Amino acid sequence: MNCRAVTSQKTMKLYTDEELAALLDRPLFRLVGQVADQMGVECYVVGGFVRDIFLQRPSNDIDVVVVGSGIEVAREVAATLGRRAHLSVFKNYGTAQVKLSSQKPGHEPIELEFVGARRESYRRESRKPIVEDGTLEDDQNRRDFTINACAICLNANRFGQLVDPFDGIYDMEDGIIRTPLDPDITFSDDPLRMLRCVRFASQLRFDIEAETKEALSRNAYRIKIISGERIAEELNKILLSPHPSIGFVELQESGLLHIIMPELSDLDIVETRCGRAHKNNFYHTLEVLENVCKTSPNLWLRWAALLHDIGKTRTKRWDNALGWTFHNHNSVGARMVADMFRRLKLPLDMKMKYVQKLVELHMRPIVIADEEVTDSAIRRLLNDAGDDIDDLMTLCEADITSKNEVRKKQFRENFRMVREKLTDLKEKDYKRLLQPVIDGNEIMELFNLKPSREVGDLKKVLKDAVLDNRVPNEREPLMQLLMKTAGEMGLQRCGGTENNPQT
């Protein structure tokens, strides 16, 4: 897979200061500038909002830098706006937020983050900086990347004037991610910036500048001081980008992936024996992920695509007759998901169970499509996948990456048949059809049993009979089968009513 092939599309427009002034000529920005003028301080809109103006991307989050007290300017702006504005002050961080509700139905609120211009210094063991008041130049020097270091003045006498000391707009034009200062210092001071660098490459489809990229590799080990929550937040943003494979290739090439997700990184190997090689499962995984992204924005389905083959490294074996095998990699991978989610501080709730289920089941539709598509196999698949069957099918269809066009066409035709049978079964109320009307509680009551292996065996007999369509899911025939099986197991029904299966 050539993940570089998707990096070329960029939308960029250069503006003069006069054009920027016209773009920012809104009551809100004029108000902020007026408040700053009244207080005698310089005021600039900075960061991602400015970047997105040039890249023509929508943005409602606005960062404002004040050469002075950002909190005091925020208080006055909120007071002037009145009831529409909600002020939140974070004294420990020297910041304040003004959230302005939209007057247009269906529009998201606008958020302004105010901070005083500052200079920062770091201790090696922490990414929390020592902060001092500073100038606009100091504040731009501390920014992570040149494309995020541009500022536009809001004061009346310079309204709309761009301040771009690092030529960030030209880096946007060239599609380049570069640090304003020495990248080794930038990344070592705050290692989270390395993940942000990769995330912006993935979101914007930009290339990482050569010196900056080399610094990623040199400082990758520093990522160990970053919490799992912050790492997971950046990984989620990479996964939600239009082409997450760009980000994961950069993570792998820099060595960051081996530190934060070694299970995925270890798939990047091709081993040959007796002239037979297996595919590179890392790049196969990224191809599957890209296929899923074409059809679904679901973050957790994308996680399932990313992790669907992580069990292959642990299950890889050489068989003289079969060649390379990865037996039960789906089950092994599903068990690995919990450890990875726990380490990355990802949610351990139904989202994790959803990912585990899809990893566990991702081979089932492929096996069905590779053989005769039987009703029994379809019923069992739908029973196990439940409401997640459509997402499972999306994942499995994305997993068809064979370069053999004949085989790929056959798989797709068989998958079409699988989907038709699934649709037919769902239309017949599959939950009622697949779950035996006699459950475990009734079995325990009938035979005076506690939760045990015998109860599980009897439930399985009934369920298998229903799934294979050997017995209709009705009380009388299922009771007859239950009594027959229980008798063979030496179990006796309580109450002496064996001859009336309907009681």
Side-chain angles (χ1 to χ4, degrees):
M1 177 187 180
N2 182 8
C3 295
R4 302 295 184 188
V6 295
T7 64
S8 59
Q9 183 180 335
K10 306 175 182 74
T11 303
M12 165 70 186
K13 184 173 181 180
L14 296 174
Y15 295 99
T16 65
D17 287 351
E18 292 75 15
E19 289 172 327
L20 288 174
L23 285 169
L24 294 181
D25 192 13
R26 311 179 202 171
L28 181 60
F29 288 122
R30 288 291 186 181
L31 170 62
V32 173
Q34 289 169 8
V35 169
D37 286 337
Q38 292 167 5
M39 300 179 70
V41 295
E42 296 176 36
C43 186
Y44 303 83
V45 60
V46 299
F49 183 81
V50 177
R51 178 198 69 224
D52 289 342
I53 288 176
F54 289 97
L55 294 179
Q56 301 182 74
R57 302 170 77 233
S59 179
N60 271 347
D61 295 334
I62 304 168
D63 291 333
V64 177
V65 164
V66 176
V67 185
S69 173
I71 291 178
E72 291 308 312
V73 172
R75 289 187 194 279
E76 187 60 32
V77 167
T80 305
L81 288 169
R83 297 177 61 182
R84 285 182 57 211
H86 175 75
L87 174 70
S88 300
V89 176
F90 310 96
K91 287 187 177 180
N92 290 343
Y93 299 98
T95 65
Q97 180 192 79
V98 176
K99 182 177 288 189
L100 187 64
S101 59
S102 175
Q103 294 179 316
K104 297 180 181 179
H107 284 62
E108 294 182 0
I110 297 173
E111 295 181 2
L112 291 89
E113 296 280 349
F114 290 82
V115 64
R118 61 195 188 187
R119 66 166 62 95
E120 297 176 344
S121 58
Y122 289 81
R123 296 181 297 270
R124 187 163 182 79
E125 70 280 1
S126 172
R127 63 176 292 264
K128 294 181 180 179
I130 300 170
V131 178
E132 302 173 90
D133 292 340
T135 64
L136 175 65
E137 180 182 3
D138 291 326
D139 202 87
Q140 289 177 300
N141 286 342
R142 75 178 181 84
R143 298 281 162 173
D144 50 8
F145 308 109
T146 60
I147 62 174
N148 295 332
C150 301
I152 301 175
C153 188
L154 296 181
N155 297 93
N157 62 337
R158 293 170 53 214
F159 190 85
Q161 185 179 109
L162 175 68
V163 183
D164 181 18
F166 306 109
D167 293 330
I169 59 169
Y170 296 111
D171 284 346
M172 290 183 226
E173 189 174 34
D174 294 335
I176 294 294
I177 295 178
R178 178 171 62 91
T179 59
L181 304 177
D182 183 337
D184 284 307
I185 295 175
T186 297
F187 292 150
S188 182
D189 281 350
D190 185 356
L192 186 66
R193 290 170 176 161
M194 293 188 286
L195 293 186
R196 285 171 56 83
C197 178
V198 171
R199 188 244 294 180
F200 284 125
S202 191
Q203 287 179 328
L204 304 177
R205 296 162 72 170
F206 278 16
D207 295 319
I208 301 173
E209 178 263 343
E211 187 177 350
T212 303
K213 189 166 186 173
E214 291 170 4
L216 284 176
S217 298
R218 287 193 296 268
N219 294 277
Y221 71 97
R222 292 278 291 151
I223 202 67
K224 294 176 182 178
I225 72 169
I226 302 299
S227 69
E229 290 94 340
R230 300 307 298 272
I231 291 173
E233 183 179 348
E234 293 299 324
L235 290 176
N236 285 341
K237 290 177 180 178
I238 292 172
L239 279 169
L240 288 172
S241 67
H243 293 284
S245 63
I246 296 172
F248 284 98
V249 168
E250 296 289 1
L251 289 173
Q252 178 70 345
E253 291 181 351
S254 66
L256 285 162
L257 191 64
H258 183 70
I259 297 171
I260 61 180
M261 294 181 69
E263 302 90 341
L264 181 62
S265 176
D266 288 348
L267 294 176
D268 188 7
I269 187 173
V270 175
E271 194 171 348
T272 302
R273 187 176 295 187
C274 300
R276 300 173 71 175
H278 61 77
K279 64 187 172 187
N280 185 306
N281 286 301
F282 175 73
Y283 286 95
H284 162 73
T285 291
L286 297 189
E287 192 171 355
V288 175
L289 176 59
E290 287 289 324
N291 288 340
V292 166
C293 292
K294 292 174 185 175
T295 59
S296 175
N298 182 339
L299 171 63
W300 304 107
L301 178 54
R302 294 183 180 198
W303 268 108
L306 186 69
L307 304 182
H308 81 281
D309 272 351
I310 55 170
K312 281 192 170 179
T313 303
R314 297 186 184 181
T315 58
K316 184 171 69 174
R317 301 289 185 273
W318 172 260
D319 184 294
N320 287 329
L322 301 175
W324 293 106
T325 66
F326 304 92
H327 295 315
N328 296 319
H329 74 273
N330 53 314
S331 298
V332 172
R335 292 194 292 271
M336 294 167 66
V337 167
D339 290 336
M340 296 179 70
F341 268 51
R342 193 172 292 111
R343 186 177 71 240
L344 292 170
K345 302 297 190 292
L346 287 163
L348 302 178
D349 54 12
M350 295 307 295
K351 297 181 180 70
M352 182 193 74
K353 294 184 184 302
Y354 165 89
V355 174
Q356 283 184 307
K357 180 198 285 189
L358 295 195
V359 172
E360 172 74 46
L361 295 178
H362 82 269
M363 293 298 295
R364 288 272 293 280
I366 294 174
V367 171
I368 292 173
D370 202 24
E371 300 172 353
E372 183 183 357
V373 183
T374 66
D375 289 346
S376 175
I378 296 296
R379 293 165 74 90
R380 288 178 176 278
L381 175 64
L382 188 49
N383 175 75
D384 293 340
D387 293 335
D388 300 317
I389 185 63
D390 290 331
D391 287 349
L392 177 62
M393 291 299 295
T394 297
L395 172 60
C396 293
E397 288 170 342
D399 201 12
I400 304 173
T401 61
S402 172
K403 301 302 181 284
N404 184 327
E405 291 301 321
V406 174
R407 182 163 173 76
K408 185 183 289 188
K409 183 177 180 180
Q410 178 187 348
F411 263 117
R412 285 176 175 164
E413 174 60 21
N414 285 358
F415 267 117
R416 184 188 64 77
M417 294 172 58
V418 171
R419 280 195 178 274
E420 285 181 358
K421 289 180 177 289
L422 286 169
T423 300
D424 181 61
L425 190 54
K426 284 195 289 185
E427 288 176 352
K428 295 178 179 176
D429 189 5
Y430 75 93
K431 291 183 179 179
R432 180 182 60 80
L433 290 172
L434 302 184
Q435 297 300 322
V437 295
I438 300 174
D439 62 15
N441 290 327
E442 186 170 359
I443 291 172
M444 288 189 288
E445 184 177 344
L446 285 169
F447 299 101
N448 194 25
L449 294 172
K450 294 182 178 180
S452 60
R453 180 176 178 177
E454 287 87 353
V455 176
D457 290 343
L458 290 171
K459 284 175 60 180
K460 185 175 186 305
V461 167
L462 298 185
K463 191 163 194 175
D464 286 346
V466 169
L467 292 177
D468 292 337
N469 210 20
R470 290 184 282 109
V471 175
N473 193 9
E474 298 170 2
R475 186 169 185 78
E476 183 172 347
L478 278 179
M479 188 65 77
Q480 290 175 350
L481 175 60
L482 175 63
M483 292 304 162
K484 178 176 179 293
T485 306
E488 293 170 352
M489 295 171 59
L491 298 174
Q492 292 188 355
R493 181 175 177 179
C494 299
T497 56
E498 293 89 341
N499 294 326
N500 185 359
Q502 296 188 27
T503 58

